[in-house]
Amino acid sequence: MRALALACAAMATPAWAEPAVADPDPDPTVESTALTPAQAYEDFDLAVAAVEAALPDLYWHQSRRQWRRAKTAARAHLADADDSADLYRQLRPLLSQVGEGHMSLQRTAAMKRSERAATRMLPIDIHWNEAVGADPARREETRAYVIAGYGDAATIAPGTRLLAIDGEPVTKLIEELTGALGRDGRNLTAAMREGEGRGYAQVRNRMRDAQASYRLSLMSADGRVEERVVDAIAYDARPMPADEQTSPVATLEWLDARTAYMSVPSFSNKAYKRAGADFHGTIQGLFDQLRQRGARDLILDLRRNGGGSEPNESILYSYLMQAPLHKYAAVEARAARLDVTSASGKRFAMQVFDEEDLAQQRALGNGRYTRLNRPPEGLMTHWTVSAPVYRGRLVVLVGGRTFSGGAELASMLRHVRRGVLVGEEVGGAHHGNTSGYEWRIELPNSRMTLLVPLLQFRMNWPALPSGGGVRPACAVPPEVAELDVTRDRAWRTAVALLGQSWRRPQQARCPP
């Protein structure tokens, strides 16, 4: 997530807030999930109208024809809608097709309660991964592995490869997962990490009717293929994951006298404030330590950095590169004011910029606005030089959870060839994203909340690969046996790279 968000309901006064974290429970007093087809059509059409009115570039990742055909097909499925879940199953994949990972559709508390009370679920937890072959430039197939099983599936060994469910191959399952979770461009890794563990089982139940059993096609470690039919389990039969109490504050650990490991799990000013810390002050202190102890080698871990507040990614960059970088080709908004009306006449309006921010914009003559390239933010990484600037060797750990501002930092470092990237494809797009301010609209009948990002951040270099995230120089995707382990194979690869004698990143050789 990124920056400050301007939230707005129907004709409400906007208020400053950071983007909401994943799908919080809305108003718990909303009890019913029933809808008529007419109500479903109204909510659907309102959501589509808001997206078409607000996104700076609806056709960044799709053609006009693709959008027109997709929304027509999705709307046609609402003729028999009688529940908010029916609307969600059509609207969420349509939004995902747009290819903006910051856009979301939040279900109501009533929808979540209904799912928990009535649903029987797929009885396995899944780890998604890309199979890495000899050619790292080639996009590899997606693979799935069983992490844990419950009920009839409890005897499936962790690490068993999942080939298909009810005859549908993994490629079809990952398509469903990305459709229900959203992604930047055509990127898969962000959805893989969000859909880890119980994630796919939950997504499957949101997107399909419940079923009593599942036919699993499995491959054991020795290559034997078998099919097993397993019964569905109740929602509560799967243990709830433990609440993570990890701090968002960046930390520094010394691996030896001249080698340090820096973890930067968040760029969120709000998260830092809750932790009683300040991002800029924390980063300044860590780089002061690097200078004082004469660090020559640094591992920077961005694997859990989902972004946060602009311009913290640029602040960190300024301690790694002295020269400012013209990072954005443009930062644009569709309009200064947005306005849509539902079929029943309910009006939703939004003032995108306040007076101070509007002074930093230039009108383009077609209703659009573009950010001026001048302090305090503009289009640059930084306007003043930070000190001390770390000039030693750098290895950067990245992955599917590296998103938004975290993905932008990975993209910047790749562009200037600062450091060796290790891990898996970054979860955010290399070419930019649409984020920043957001328009929050509560759909009047289903009461689901649509969040539409409003600022298009286009990076100032070609997308490589187009529509995807930065790919690491050393591809080391997470393994089943080391999920959520910091010192995993990617970490060990980073350490091994620093054991080599290279001076420039392109001279480093990935360990076998």
Side-chain angles (χ1 to χ4, degrees):
M1 307 298 284
R2 165 219 281 288
L4 294 176
L6 197 55
C8 182
M11 297 304 292
T13 302
W16 289 97
E18 286 196 340
V21 294
D23 211 8
D25 280 344
D27 183 0
T29 63
V30 181
E31 296 297 336
S32 177
T33 62
L35 282 182
T36 65
Q39 290 174 322
Y41 284 135
E42 179 179 18
D43 282 8
F44 180 92
D45 291 342
L46 173 63
V48 168
V51 168
E52 292 179 338
L55 281 180
D57 188 355
L58 181 62
Y59 307 108
W60 203 1
H61 305 296
Q62 62 176 344
S63 68
R64 295 176 184 273
R65 182 182 181 185
Q66 287 173 324
W67 174 246
R68 183 171 61 252
R69 293 178 65 178
K71 69 180 180 180
T72 299
R75 195 177 191 277
H77 283 91
L78 298 177
D80 298 320
D82 61 7
D83 189 273
S84 297
D86 296 326
L87 174 61
Y88 184 90
R89 290 171 182 173
Q90 300 307 319
L91 185 53
R92 177 63 264 190
L94 178 65
L95 298 176
S96 297
Q97 177 178 298
V98 177
E100 296 292 355
H102 291 78
M103 184 157 58
S104 65
L105 181 65
Q106 296 178 353
R107 297 169 301 133
T108 65
M111 292 173 69
K112 295 175 185 178
R113 284 196 298 270
S114 177
E115 177 181 296
R116 291 166 184 163
T119 293
R120 293 184 62 78
M121 302 181 72
L122 180 72
I124 56 173
D125 291 350
I126 298 175
H127 168 63
W128 307 89
N129 222 333
E130 287 183 333
V132 178
D135 181 3
R138 181 169 61 89
R139 193 175 191 92
E140 305 291 349
E141 65 174 307
T142 300
R143 293 188 177 184
Y145 299 88
V146 176
I147 302 173
Y150 309 93
D152 293 345
T155 57
I156 299 176
T160 298
R161 187 174 168 188
L162 175 68
L163 303 178
I165 300 177
D166 295 334
E168 292 183 313
V170 166
T171 51
K172 182 72 173 179
L173 306 182
I174 194 68
E175 180 182 321
E176 180 177 46
L177 186 69
T178 55
L181 296 178
R183 56 179 170 170
D184 273 357
R186 292 181 293 278
N187 195 306
L188 297 180
T189 52
M192 284 180 180
R193 299 303 146 241
E194 190 176 347
E196 199 98 284
R198 65 170 55 207
Y200 175 69
Q202 293 175 318
V203 162
R204 188 181 179 97
N205 278 55
R206 292 175 203 166
M207 306 308 294
R208 307 187 185 206
D209 293 329
Q211 56 189 98
S213 63
Y214 303 87
R215 179 166 50 89
L216 308 181
S217 179
L218 305 165
M219 179 186 289
S220 63
D222 61 6
R224 289 183 298 107
V225 175
E226 67 167 327
E227 288 201 350
R228 291 183 56 175
V229 176
V230 294
D231 289 338
I233 60 171
Y235 186 96
D236 294 332
R238 177 187 271 108
M240 291 296 292
D243 290 335
E244 291 190 27
Q245 301 297 326
T246 55
S247 171
V249 179
T251 57
L252 192 68
E253 176 186 352
W254 290 90
L255 305 183
D256 59 40
R258 297 297 177 87
T259 305
Y261 165 76
M262 183 184 295
S263 174
V264 185
S266 176
F267 288 143
S268 168
N269 286 334
K270 187 175 182 180
Y272 268 76
K273 186 175 181 180
R274 284 197 301 263
D278 168 74
F279 179 82
H280 199 166
T282 298
I283 296 300
Q284 177 72 56
L286 298 185
F287 279 87
D288 283 340
Q289 291 183 48
L290 293 177
R291 178 183 60 179
Q292 291 163 7
R293 293 190 55 169
R296 295 179 181 175
D297 294 326
L298 176 63
I299 299 172
L300 174 62
D301 195 341
L302 301 176
R303 287 176 293 180
R304 290 190 171 274
N305 192 309
S309 307
E310 190 185 10
N312 286 345
E313 72 281 357
S314 293
I315 289 173
L316 179 51
Y317 178 90
S318 72
Y319 286 91
L320 297 168
M321 292 290 290
Q322 182 172 3
L325 174 66
H326 189 151
K327 66 172 180 175
Y328 295 134
V331 179
E332 294 188 357
R334 181 71 175 272
R337 180 179 172 82
L338 304 169
D339 200 326
V340 295
T341 303
S342 72
S344 62
K346 191 170 186 179
R347 187 180 175 199
F348 296 78
M350 167 111 178
Q351 193 70 34
V352 178
F353 303 111
D354 61 16
E355 290 185 13
E356 181 180 353
D357 204 15
L358 188 59
Q360 301 295 319
Q361 314 298 317
R362 176 170 62 87
L364 295 177
N366 55 357
R368 303 172 69 89
Y369 283 79
T370 190
R371 180 187 287 181
L372 297 169
N373 189 24
R374 65 189 186 191
E377 292 173 356
L379 307 177
M380 310 296 292
T381 54
H382 53 291
W383 297 91
T384 59
V385 176
S386 297
V389 175
Y390 170 73
R391 302 179 187 277
R393 298 194 302 173
L394 177 68
V395 176
V396 186
L397 296 174
V398 294
R401 293 187 176 95
T402 309
F403 186 68
S404 194
E408 285 192 6
L409 178 58
S411 187
M412 291 185 279
L413 294 174
R414 180 198 181 280
H415 178 67
V416 299
R417 298 185 178 183
R418 182 68 170 104
V420 181
L421 271 64
V422 175
E424 66 177 341
E425 182 179 3
V426 167
H430 176 53
H431 58 276
N433 59 73
T434 305
S435 55
Y437 303 133
E438 64 182 13
W439 193 7
R440 299 176 64 93
I441 296 178
E442 184 181 277
L443 303 181
N445 300 302
S446 65
R447 303 288 296 274
M448 287 188 288
T449 301
L450 172 69
L451 292 90
V452 186
L454 301 179
L455 297 183
Q456 183 188 43
F457 295 82
R458 286 189 285 114
M459 308 306 286
N460 195 29
W461 42 80
L464 298 171
S466 178
V470 171
R471 283 187 168 264
C474 296
V476 190
E479 295 182 324
V480 172
E482 295 186 321
L483 296 179
D484 298 320
V485 174
T486 298
R487 297 195 177 197
D488 62 0
R489 192 161 62 103
W491 188 91
R492 295 191 297 274
T493 298
V495 173
L497 283 167
L498 293 174
Q500 299 175 9
S501 59
W502 55 273
R503 294 179 59 85
R504 298 179 180 178
Q506 55 268 37
Q507 296 172 330
R509 295 293 176 262
C510 300

